[in-house]
């Protein structure tokens, strides 16, 4: 019973809710002077409470400031992250909306652009295309349905039309030693196949020209031979009709120029059914040998 009476005495000493003094703080925060506002708050608390008599006051206030500061920074980071996520979603949505639009007009634009690049008067009929190699265009290559290409002894240049306004991020171009694949992402490739001959991958590159066409440069490994086609399965070029520009020949070193002129001479000889330079050299050697050895019978010898 003594224990119960002690508790009753303690309960009687506790202040009731109605006896607690309530004082209202009147203050207006000026965003340009937050420290001044806090000063008035602390002065109010000092007058109306025993807070400033505490030995740990400074530590307690610093702890509260750090807690509020960490909370504000965490909320700011959360808002920034959410805003960035929304922007990414909008960008992805916009990209997906643009791709179908580009694909819808790709076929028509490709046909129109290639038609403009075809050489007047050199277009062959479908029947002629089936008979064999085609006559080269002005670039010593061919104008295909979806692209055109040309060549020099050192390089191959390719033009692939794309819808106006196409961005580089929509382009897919893969260049390997013996393989080329070009087109728009999400669409069937315009070019996809094995190259006529290997290329120097490190010296090859592509670029987007005026957001209307893809320009590709391939550097040949063998720079002493004309390509008959770009990728396997495509129509062939009649290399007998390839005509390198004379201005370019003058820029070559003597050894390379001699080789090129020899190739051109051999091509003309073959087109006329005459022996090439190598065959003529063999004939001269054989004739000289026959003249030096009249005692031998050369009646069955064949001189090609």
């Amino acid at each position: 019973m003594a224990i119960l009476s002690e508790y009753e005495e303690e309960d009687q000493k506790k202040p009731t809710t109605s006896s607690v003094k309530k004082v209202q703080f009147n203050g207006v925060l000026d965003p340009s002077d937050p420290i001044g506002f806090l000063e008035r708050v602390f002065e109010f608390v000092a007058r109306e409470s025993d807070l400033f008599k505490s030995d740990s006051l400074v530590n307690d206030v610093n702890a509260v400031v750090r807690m509020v500061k960490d909370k504000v920074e965490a909320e700011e980071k959360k808002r920034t992250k959410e805003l960035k996520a929304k922007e990414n979603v909008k960008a992805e949505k916009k990209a997906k909306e643009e791709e179908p639009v580009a694909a819808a007009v790709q076929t028509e634009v490709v046909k129109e652009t290639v038609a403009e690049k075809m050489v007047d008067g050199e277009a062959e009929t479908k029947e002629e295309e089936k008979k064999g190699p085609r006559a080269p265009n002005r670039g010593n290559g061919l104008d295909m349905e979806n692209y055109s290409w040309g060549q020099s002894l050192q390089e191959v240049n390719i033009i692939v039309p794309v819808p106006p306004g196409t961005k580089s991020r929509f382009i897919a171009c893969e260049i390997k030693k013996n393989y080329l694949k070009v087109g728009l992402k999400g669409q069937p490739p315009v070019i996809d196949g094995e190259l006529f001959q290997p290329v120097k991958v490190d010296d090859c590159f592509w670029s987007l020209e005026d957001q209307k066409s893809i320009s590709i440069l391939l550097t040949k490994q063998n720079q002493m031979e004309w390509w008959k086609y770009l990728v396997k399965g495509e129509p062939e070029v009649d290399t007998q009709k390839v005509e390198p520009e004379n201005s370019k020949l003058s820029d070559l070193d003597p050894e390379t120029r001699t080789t090129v002129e020899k190739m051109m001479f051999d091509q003309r000889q073959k087109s006329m059914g005459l022996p090439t330079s190598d065959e003529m050299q063999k004939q001269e050697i054989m004739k000289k040998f026959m003249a030096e050895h009249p005692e031998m019978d050369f009646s069955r010898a064949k001189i090609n």
Side-chain angles (χ1 to χ4, degrees):
M1 295 298 292
I3 296 175
L4 291 175
S5 62
E6 289 177 2
Y7 276 107
E8 289 175 357
E9 291 177 0
E10 290 179 1
D11 291 341
Q12 291 174 2
K13 294 179 181 180
K14 292 181 180 179
T16 60
T17 305
S18 59
S19 64
V20 176
K21 183 180 179 181
K22 296 181 180 179
V23 182
Q24 185 175 0
F25 171 74
N26 294 321
V28 179
L29 172 63
D30 182 359
S32 65
D33 186 22
I35 299 300
F37 177 78
L38 289 176
E39 183 179 353
R40 291 191 295 275
V41 170
F42 286 132
E43 290 174 352
F44 173 78
V45 174
R47 291 194 306 268
E48 303 296 335
S49 73
D50 297 333
L51 176 65
F52 280 79
K53 295 180 181 180
S54 173
D55 295 334
S56 61
L57 172 63
V58 175
N59 291 334
D60 293 342
V61 172
N62 287 338
V64 172
V65 171
R66 284 196 299 270
M67 179 183 69
V68 174
K69 183 175 182 294
D70 293 342
K71 183 178 179 181
V72 171
E73 291 178 348
E75 291 177 350
E76 183 64 25
K77 289 181 180 179
K78 183 179 179 181
R79 285 194 296 270
T80 302
K81 186 176 180 181
E82 291 176 350
L83 180 60
K84 188 175 182 180
K86 290 180 180 180
E87 291 176 351
N88 291 339
V89 171
K90 289 181 179 179
E92 292 177 0
K93 184 178 179 180
K94 184 178 180 181
K96 289 181 180 180
E97 291 174 351
E98 290 177 355
E99 288 182 6
V101 174
V105 298
Q106 179 183 10
T107 302
E108 292 301 324
V109 173
V110 166
K111 290 181 179 180
E112 291 176 3
T113 308
V114 173
E116 293 174 358
K117 293 180 178 293
M118 293 186 66
V119 181
D120 296 337
E122 294 183 358
E124 299 177 347
T125 62
K126 293 182 179 180
E127 188 65 27
E128 290 174 337
E129 291 175 355
K130 298 178 182 179
K131 293 181 180 179
R134 302 183 187 178
N137 58 19
R138 291 178 181 175
N140 293 324
L142 287 178
D143 295 315
M144 309 302 294
E145 182 179 358
N146 296 332
Y147 69 93
S148 63
W149 67 280
Q151 64 176 318
S152 64
L153 281 172
Q154 294 81 25
E155 302 171 341
V156 175
N157 295 281
I158 308 163
I159 299 295
V160 181
V162 294
T166 296
K167 306 294 184 182
S168 58
R169 65 176 181 270
F170 294 143
I171 297 173
C173 184
E174 183 179 359
I175 303 174
K176 295 183 178 180
K177 182 179 179 181
N178 296 291
Y179 174 79
L180 176 64
K181 183 176 182 180
V182 185
L184 295 179
K185 293 180 180 179
Q187 302 299 322
V190 178
I191 303 173
D192 184 9
E194 181 181 348
L195 294 170
F196 177 73
Q197 283 190 348
V199 297
K200 299 178 181 179
V201 178
D202 292 340
D203 295 330
C204 300
F205 64 87
W206 66 270
S207 62
L208 181 61
E209 303 294 336
D210 299 326
Q211 296 185 329
K212 294 192 297 186
S213 63
I214 307 171
S215 176
I216 306 167
L217 183 142
L218 305 178
T219 301
K220 300 178 180 179
Q221 278 198 359
N222 179 3
Q223 300 188 345
M224 292 298 161
E225 184 176 358
W226 298 106
W227 283 19
K228 293 183 179 180
Y229 54 80
L230 180 63
V231 293
K232 191 174 182 179
E234 295 285 4
E236 293 187 4
V237 176
D238 187 353
T239 55
Q240 301 293 332
K241 298 179 180 180
V242 169
E243 296 181 0
E245 297 180 12
N246 293 330
S247 58
K248 292 183 179 180
L249 285 177
S250 62
D251 296 335
L252 301 175
D253 59 85
E255 183 179 356
T256 304
R257 180 173 180 176
T258 300
T259 303
V260 174
E261 290 175 342
K262 177 178 178 296
M263 291 172 56
M264 296 173 62
F265 173 80
D266 290 344
Q267 288 177 353
R268 287 194 296 269
Q269 290 292 98
K270 287 182 178 180
S271 64
M272 294 185 292
L274 300 175
T276 64
S277 56
D278 290 337
E279 292 171 345
M280 293 173 65
Q281 185 178 8
K282 291 177 182 179
Q283 291 176 0
E284 291 297 325
I285 293 174
M286 190 63 182
K287 289 179 181 179
K288 183 177 180 180
F289 182 80
M290 291 170 63
E292 293 176 351
H293 299 278
E295 72 282 1
M296 297 179 65
D297 183 11
F298 296 97
S299 59
R300 295 183 179 181
K302 292 182 179 180
I303 302 176
N304 296 326

